[in-house]
Structure formats: C-alpha cells, structure tokens
Amino acid sequence: MSDAFCPDCKSQTEVVFDHSAGDTVCSECGLVLESHSIDETSEWRTFANESGDNDPVRVGGPTNPLLTDGGLSTVIAKPNGGSGEFLSSSLGRWQNRGSNPDRGLIVAFKTIATMSDRLGLVATIKDRANEIYKRVEDQKSSRGRNQDALLAACLYIACRQEDKPRTVKEICSVANGATKKEIGRAKEYIVKQLGLENGQSVEMGTIHAGDFMRRFCSNLGMNNQAVKAAQEAVQKSEEFDIRRSPISIAAAVIYIITQLSDDKKPLKDISVATGVAEGTIRNSYKDLYPHVSKIIPNWYAKEEDLKNLCSP
C-alpha cells in the first residue's frame, strides 16, 4: 500500500492496488481513484503449452539487422518434443522444404556465440564478429573454405578491433578442431577480402603485452600485489627495443615477477597459463634481463633481490 490524495476524504489516505482489475482504491471510503491502470512491472506467468514447462518467456529474441527478416521469422516447434511427429506434420515438412536465405548465417552466428561464451567475451565482440562474417559472406568468395577456421578468424579480428585481444591459441581452443595454421590463413583471407571491399587496409588494432597480463596472472592465481607489479613492469618494458612478441614479453615478465616473490611459479606452469613455449619464455627472459633493474618497480623488489635472479 501507498499514500495518495482522496478527493472524498480530502486528505492523504492509504490506497490499495487491485492488480486483477487495475484499480487504485482508497482504503478509507472505497473510492476508485484510478481505473484500468497498466502494470509496467515484469510479468512472470507461464504461457507454455505443456504444464511441465515452467519457462515464463513468451517473447522472441532481439532483432538482428544482419538477417534478411531481422531474425523475426517463425519456427514451428516440435509437438511434445517428438521428432517423429514433427516430421509427419505437414506444416513442419513445408517449413523444412522452404528455402531460408539466412539459414547459413543463423548457424554461423550460433557458432560464434558459442565460442564467445566459452571465452567469456562481451556481446560487442560477438556482434562485431557477426558483422565481419556477414561482410565476407556477402562477397560469395568463401565457398570451399574451412568454415570453423573462418568463424574463429572473425572472432580473433573482432577481439583485436575491440581492443580485447585473445591469442590465436586461445581462439583455437574453442574453434571446433580448426588448427592455428588454418585460423591464420583464414585471418589473412578475411583481411584481404575486407581490404578489397573498402579499398583500404583493415584496421586491426595494436597488441600490447599488457592486454594479456591480467588474464594470464589470473590463470596462475597470482596475488594482487604481484599482478600490479607485473602490469607496471610490462608497461616499462615497452620503453626498450625488445624484439619479441607481446605475448612472449608478458610471459617473461610474469616469470621474473614470480621468481622475486615467495610464491614462485615453475616455468612449465607459466607456459601452460600463457600458451607460450618454455624455450620462448627463456629466450625472452634473456632479452629482458639486462633491463630488469629499470623494468621491475622499486616498491616490489630491492636491488639486492634483483641480483639474486638467475642469470640467463
């Protein structure tokens, strides 16, 4: 109940809401202050055909501007969940026979959504990947190519363009069997096709070692102080001409930070968490070692601690 002004009582009185009739009634004199009001709160009644189905949702998904019908086409459901009855249904047969120009796109978008969910990516990256795939598909030149690699490459490019890069190895882990080599080829193909479409090179975004740092540290279970030190160290490393990939630099910095802490991590664990080979981490460590006194924050390690680091 809440208070409202009643013209009959000529004062503020408590009112009662009759949700079934949509009336607002004065609790003192019974006067209907408002009738047929609209309840704007969520409605959680069940509109399913089956009594055992408690799903309260009775609306479809959002519109998709990348599909011809906006994603609002009707799909005839299977009666009682039986596939045999559905195939015997004349309506179901006619719908299956009908040609849907977006059938391939719908399957591709579902695959991209599944990969995005497994990687924990935000909706903007998924939408960007869908858009990239649609642009490539519209050129009608991807027939015969590895579809899984193509979709994975779209997701990789979308991550780069949204400044949330993922390594090719991470993308490969959810790519339904596509190899790193196949994804790399698909990426080059997509970049080439989009470049021909726009008449200019595709902006991919710059990868920095810091883009991977927090995720790699989380995989290793490092504490907040070590994570902060690693992030500062990797930013300092960009001031030096270290000719290694950002992922390799990130892995080497993590190795240095963990060796300076009480919770030392084996090189094998760092390799698994970052996806960088142990030999590559060692070589990157050799390149970073001459600059370690300028890279590691003073508040994290003293000069005596740095001298105790193993020389490469």
Side-chain angles (χ1 to χ4, degrees):
M1 292 191 298
S2 61
D3 293 342
F5 181 79
C6 177
D8 274 13
C9 299
K10 301 187 183 304
S11 63
Q12 291 287 123
T13 60
E14 287 188 342
V15 295
V16 178
F17 295 100
D18 184 353
H19 293 282
S20 59
D23 295 339
T24 304
V25 183
C26 174
S27 61
E28 298 290 336
C29 64
L31 177 69
V32 178
L33 302 178
E34 184 180 357
S35 61
H36 305 296
S37 58
I38 298 174
D39 185 4
E40 296 181 353
T41 59
S42 301
E43 184 176 47
W44 292 112
R45 289 186 293 162
T46 300
F47 290 86
N49 295 327
E50 300 298 323
S51 58
D53 189 355
N54 294 322
D55 184 8
V57 178
R58 61 188 180 100
V59 295
T63 59
N64 189 340
L66 300 178
L67 299 177
T68 303
D69 56 8
L72 299 177
S73 57
T74 300
V75 177
I76 301 173
K78 303 176 183 179
N80 300 325
S83 58
E85 294 182 28
F86 174 69
L87 293 176
S88 63
S89 167
S90 59
L91 289 176
R93 287 201 307 271
W94 279 110
Q95 186 181 50
N96 284 335
R97 289 174 183 174
S99 59
N100 185 354
D102 294 330
R103 183 173 297 176
L105 284 177
I106 293 172
V107 173
F109 292 167
K110 286 183 179 178
T111 304
I112 290 175
T114 301
M115 291 192 293
S116 299
D117 291 341
R118 291 175 64 185
L119 289 173
L121 302 177
V122 295
T124 52
I125 295 178
K126 181 193 71 175
D127 294 340
R128 176 62 66 92
N130 289 344
E131 180 186 345
I132 293 171
Y133 179 78
K134 177 68 162 58
R135 289 168 60 187
V136 173
E137 187 68 16
D138 286 345
Q139 296 185 26
K140 307 295 182 183
S141 59
S142 60
R143 188 180 299 275
R145 293 187 174 271
N146 186 327
Q147 190 73 0
D148 291 326
L150 205 64
L151 295 173
C154 290
L155 196 60
Y156 174 81
I157 295 172
C159 290
R160 290 276 300 268
Q161 291 184 343
E162 292 293 326
D163 293 327
K164 301 293 181 183
R166 291 293 188 274
T167 65
V168 178
K169 195 165 187 177
E170 288 177 298
I171 299 292
C172 187
S173 67
V174 298
N176 300 323
T179 64
K180 289 173 62 176
K181 192 172 184 179
E182 290 172 335
I183 295 174
R185 287 175 178 171
K187 186 203 76 170
E188 297 298 328
Y189 165 77
I190 292 171
V191 170
K192 180 181 177 182
Q193 292 300 314
L194 296 183
L196 292 174
E197 179 189 32
N198 297 331
Q200 57 186 9
S201 60
V202 178
E203 184 64 38
M204 289 279 287
T206 305
I207 295 180
H208 299 280
D211 296 332
F212 308 97
M213 188 57 69
R214 182 169 289 278
R215 191 165 68 256
F216 288 166
C217 292
S218 176
N219 293 341
L220 287 165
M222 295 169 60
N223 59 49
N224 292 334
Q225 189 177 24
V227 174
K228 183 180 178 182
Q231 289 178 320
E232 290 186 18
V234 86
Q235 288 179 350
K236 284 282 187 180
S237 68
E238 295 181 357
E239 300 175 4
F240 303 95
D241 185 20
I242 302 171
R243 300 186 179 182
R244 295 282 174 179
S245 71
I247 303 171
S248 301
I249 293 174
V253 167
I254 291 174
Y255 175 72
I256 295 172
I257 293 296
T258 56
Q259 295 309 301
L260 293 170
S261 69
D262 296 331
D263 185 20
K264 293 179 172 57
K265 303 291 183 183
L267 193 62
K268 182 179 179 181
D269 290 353
I270 297 175
S271 175
V272 171
T274 61
V276 181
E278 294 182 33
T280 305
I281 298 176
R282 289 194 189 95
N283 292 332
S284 300
Y285 173 64
K286 290 179 183 178
D287 294 341
L288 285 171
Y289 186 79
H291 313 289
V292 71
S293 61
K294 299 178 181 178
I295 291 176
I296 303 301
N298 296 330
W299 59 265
Y300 185 77
K302 298 179 181 178
E303 190 173 347
E304 294 78 13
D305 299 326
L306 298 178
K307 290 179 180 179
N308 293 330
L309 279 174
C310 298
S311 57

